[in-house]
Amino acid sequence: MFNRIEVKPAYRVVCETIEAQIVAGSLRPGDLLPTETQLADSFGLTRHTVREGLRQLEESGLVGRAAGRRLAVKVPDHAELAPRATQILRMQGVTFRELWEASMLLEPESARGAAGQITAQHLIALEANLAAMEAALNAGRSIIALDVEFHALLAAIAANKALMLAREPVSQLFFPALKQLFDHPRTRDTGPRRLIEAHRRIVDALRVRDSVTAEQWMRRHMQDFRRGYDVCGLDTDQPLPASFV
Amino acid sequence: MFNRIEVKPAYRVVCETIEAQIVAGSLRPGDLLPTETQLADSFGLTRHTVREGLRQLEESGLVGRAAGRRLAVKVPDHAELAPRATQILRMQGVTFRELWEASMLLEPESARGAAGQITAQHLIALEANLAAMEAALNAGRSIIALDVEFHALLAAIAANKALMLAREPVSQLFFPALKQLFDHPRTRDTGPRRLIEAHRRIVDALRVRDSVTAEQWMRRHMQDFRRGYDVCGLDTDQPLPASFV
DNA sequence: AATGTTGTATTGTTCAACAAACGCTCCTGC
DNA sequence: GCAGGAGCGTTTGTTGAACAATACAACATT
């Protein structure tokens, strides 16, 4: 009968009210919010209180500074969400196995989907990535960042928004976790070569829109990672060390 | 050469500084933050400026009110992130097809994983869900919420944090999208029955830890959804209507 | 046309308070 | 001895009136 009453601070109400207006559609992406003073007047609050609400709204990604100083409604981007998701996974002590199992699902599907959508434009980007990797390898620089980029490229080509959202945080953790591999004597020399080889094969398959082969090579590629982890004697059930930031 | 210069407001620096302390580990989950006045003194800012930073930190999920009023560092929960991810997908105009393709990957894996981890405790929860569904159906109430819950239960049982994070936002959109189906004359009568039947089969398979059958039935279950959508003449490539809130 | 200048609107920040809620200690009554 | 209040200090939530800094636009200058 009498449900739990919770008093929300005014700034929270401000945030929720504006958010509600946005999802309801009365404020559309691109629209400028009223000025802080106007909002304060409307709500019958001080500018300070309104500002605290706006700070939360800002962090939620629903508003941002489009052109000038004024806050504008925008469509939040999944690129903003990914780092936060990554952070959650790390702080919750996600294990290599969990990441690997997720990647084992998401990446092959990403490759498969890319085969159906790929354009000449995309191929150029992929080739550029491969070339950059070769160069980095020869120069003795790390290829991890380029690896992450490669997989992100594939996902972007596949153009499934749900998949991209799901994939990104996992990839942000999984691939950097492989840094250990490339530093390890057992895999330092062969690892990067095998990686580039797999990427090469995937691109070749995509060029001829061969989704089956692309998917197969991606799966092999993922299994390679897993095997490398084992070969190096690393425990797949341990939480990832915090150093992967 | 000359990169974009961005001057960050002080409240933003406050937020980032504290966040850095948390990820660096000098502030651990459970620790209380200093009081607003102390922070203001340390930073050499006004209490209000500090508060704006704290509001952002709060929204980011890294701090929260644990016991009393004081803010405490906490491990962010993926349950907080899911609604935001859902929002992003919806605002970006995600289509039924995208959601379905993602679910077609994630849900069967979820069922498969659950088979390996399930306990008597879990089975009780699943049975309770099934019973509640039967009851809801007989009473003519909607079973959508219970369906979402069923799939969330499976994911929780499978206990893969990366998978749960990936799955949740998709499920929050995908299953409610099926409301149309259960309102449509073509599937109104048979749909819910088939749904419960599939859930039943999955639970039965899980009870005997038969991961293959569980996964198969889940896949069939998903394909059923898709077929229903087609049968009702709905366009799978249209963005979901905004009414799924 | 490109570069200064001015003016105004809006955000960022400060200072000085006060109200309300919480946690704590200490005190009372049994 | 201890359960239950009464007070008290601490901390957050909120207000008010300012001022500084910046961005934008319109205009003047060269």
Side-chain angles (χ1 to χ4, degrees), chain A residues 9-30:
Chain A
Y11 59 79
R12 190 108 272 286
V13 179
V14 168
C15 179
E16 286 167 11
T17 305
I18 302 179
E19 176 171 345
Q21 298 285 319
I22 295 175
V23 306
S26 20
L27 282 171
R28 321 258 212 91

Side-chain angles (χ1 to χ4, degrees), chain B residues 38-46 50:
Chain B
Q38 286 171 331
L39 285 171
D41 285 347
S42 308
F43 290 132
L45 295 169
T46 311
V50 171

Side-chain angles (χ1 to χ4, degrees), chain A residues 7 11-12 15 19 22-23 29 47-49 51-62 65 69 73-78 81 84-95 97-99 101-102 105-106 109 112 159-163 165-167 169-170 242 245, chain B residues 7 11-12 15 19 22-23 29 48 51-62 65 69 73-78 80-81 84-95 97-99 101-102 105-106 109-110 112 159-163 165-167 169-170 242 245:
Chain A
V7 289
Y11 59 79
R12 190 108 272 286
C15 179
E19 176 171 345
I22 295 175
V23 306
R47 236 186 93 215
H48 279 329
T49 310
R51 279 172 67 85
E52 292 191 36
L54 289 177
R55 291 299 88 82
Q56 297 207 302
L57 207 60
E58 207 173 358
E59 186 72 10
S60 83
L62 284 172
R65 273 148 236 270
R69 289 250 96 27
V73 179
K74 64 163 193 174
V75 176
D77 187 36
H78 65 264
L81 199 70
R84 213 148 283 306
T86 307
Q87 205 172 48
I88 291 182
L89 286 177
R90 181 146 26 76
M91 290 185 79
Q92 289 189 344
V94 73
T95 66
R97 179 193 300 279
E98 289 172 307
L99 291 173
E101 284 176 357
L105 275 187
L106 299 167
E109 172 68 9
R112 201 182 65 80
N160 181 322
K161 291 185 271 296
L163 213 58
L165 190 72
R167 207 197 60 83
V170 179
V245 188
Chain B
V7 289
Y11 60 80
R12 190 107 272 285
C15 179
E19 175 170 344
I22 295 176
V23 305
H48 186 76
R51 278 173 66 87
E52 291 191 42
L54 289 179
R55 291 299 88 82
Q56 297 207 305
L57 208 61
E58 206 174 359
E59 186 72 10
S60 83
L62 283 172
R65 316 216 168 219
R69 287 251 103 21
V73 179
K74 63 163 192 173
V75 176
D77 187 37
H78 65 265
E80 303 167 47
L81 199 70
R84 213 148 285 306
T86 307
Q87 205 172 49
I88 290 183
L89 285 177
R90 180 146 26 78
M91 290 185 78
Q92 290 188 346
V94 72
T95 66
R97 180 192 300 279
E98 289 172 305
L99 291 174
E101 284 178 358
L105 275 187
L106 298 167
E109 173 67 11
S110 179
R112 202 182 65 81
N160 180 323
K161 291 184 271 295
L163 213 57
L165 190 71
R167 208 198 59 82
V170 179
V245 188

Side-chain angles (χ1 to χ4, degrees), chain B residues 44-194:
Chain B
L45 295 169
T46 311
R47 227 186 100 213
H48 186 76
T49 308
V50 171
R51 278 173 66 87
E52 291 191 42
L54 289 179
R55 291 299 88 82
Q56 297 207 305
L57 208 61
E58 206 174 359
E59 186 72 10
S60 83
L62 283 172
V63 304
R65 316 216 168 219
R69 287 251 103 21
R70 293 277 294 274
L71 284 172
V73 179
K74 63 163 192 173
V75 176
D77 187 37
H78 65 265
E80 303 167 47
L81 199 70
R84 213 148 285 306
T86 307
Q87 205 172 49
I88 290 183
L89 285 177
R90 180 146 26 78
M91 290 185 78
Q92 290 188 346
V94 72
T95 66
F96 182 89
R97 180 192 300 279
E98 289 172 305
L99 291 174
W100 182 78
E101 284 178 358
S103 293
M104 195 64 190
L105 275 187
L106 298 167
E107 296 300 331
E109 173 67 11
S110 179
R112 202 182 65 81
Q117 309 282 331
I118 198 156
T119 67
Q121 200 75 6
H122 293 143
L123 274 171
I124 292 173
L126 288 173
E127 287 291 355
N129 179 278
L130 282 178
M133 243 184 193
E134 287 282 1
L137 185 58
N138 291 333
R141 293 196 310 274
S142 167
I143 59 172
I144 301 274
L146 287 165
D147 179 44
V148 176
E149 185 190 293
F150 179 85
H151 290 265
L153 273 173
L154 285 191
I157 297 171
N160 180 323
K161 291 184 271 295
L163 213 57
M164 286 181 70
L165 190 71
R167 208 198 59 82
E168 201 145 318
V170 179
S171 132
Q172 288 286 335
L173 270 183
F174 178 63
F175 296 104
L178 299 165
K179 184 174 179 342
Q180 301 175 298
L181 250 63
F182 296 151
D183 290 345
H184 195 283
R186 282 297 296 274
T187 46
R188 186 170 41 206
D189 302 319
T190 58
R193 275 266 148 258
R194 290 180 68 89

